[in-house]
Amino acid sequence: MPAYFIVEVHVTNPEPYAAYRDLATASVARHGGRFLARGGAVTALEGDWQPERFVIIEFPSVDAAKAFYTSADYQEALQVRLANSVGKAFIVEGYSPPM
């Protein structure tokens, strides 16, 4: 069953943050993920939440998403992200309709 790694990000230092994009892109590919959304326009429909940047990455499973997140290569990228942005990240299990 697929799983989704979702991050809401507010970039505080755009120039150094650029290194994160390159590191994360390579790590996602190595771990079998694919970007579904990456910083496109966000339209809030309900509530007072005003997110400015979302990233959604699909992985084959929750275990694969966790392996990506805890991998040495992503941890290197994560340090860059955390130093140059604030945000929230989580993994959500996908849905497979019954056959």
Side-chain angles (χ1 to χ4, degrees):
M1 177 177 318
Y4 302 92
F5 177 68
I6 301 171
V7 184
E8 176 197 3
V9 179
H10 167 71
V11 177
T12 55
N13 298 307
E15 288 184 31
Y17 184 86
Y20 169 75
R21 285 190 296 269
D22 295 338
L23 291 168
T25 298
S27 182
V28 166
R30 276 193 292 279
H31 295 279
R34 69 182 184 113
F35 288 94
L36 300 180
R38 193 172 192 185
V42 176
T43 303
L45 299 176
E46 296 183 18
D48 61 359
W49 186 29
Q50 297 298 317
E52 68 181 67
R53 181 178 176 81
F54 263 102
V55 176
I56 303 172
I57 305 168
E58 182 181 56
F59 287 92
S61 66
V62 168
D63 287 342
K66 288 179 180 178
F68 154 76
Y69 186 80
T70 60
S71 68
D73 57 329
Y74 185 69
Q75 288 299 301
E76 177 185 354
L78 180 60
Q79 294 310 306
V80 175
R81 178 170 66 83
L82 294 175
N84 297 290
S85 69
V86 292
K88 300 173 184 86
F90 55 93
I91 296 170
V92 64
E93 186 175 61
Y95 174 74
S96 292
M99 300 300 242

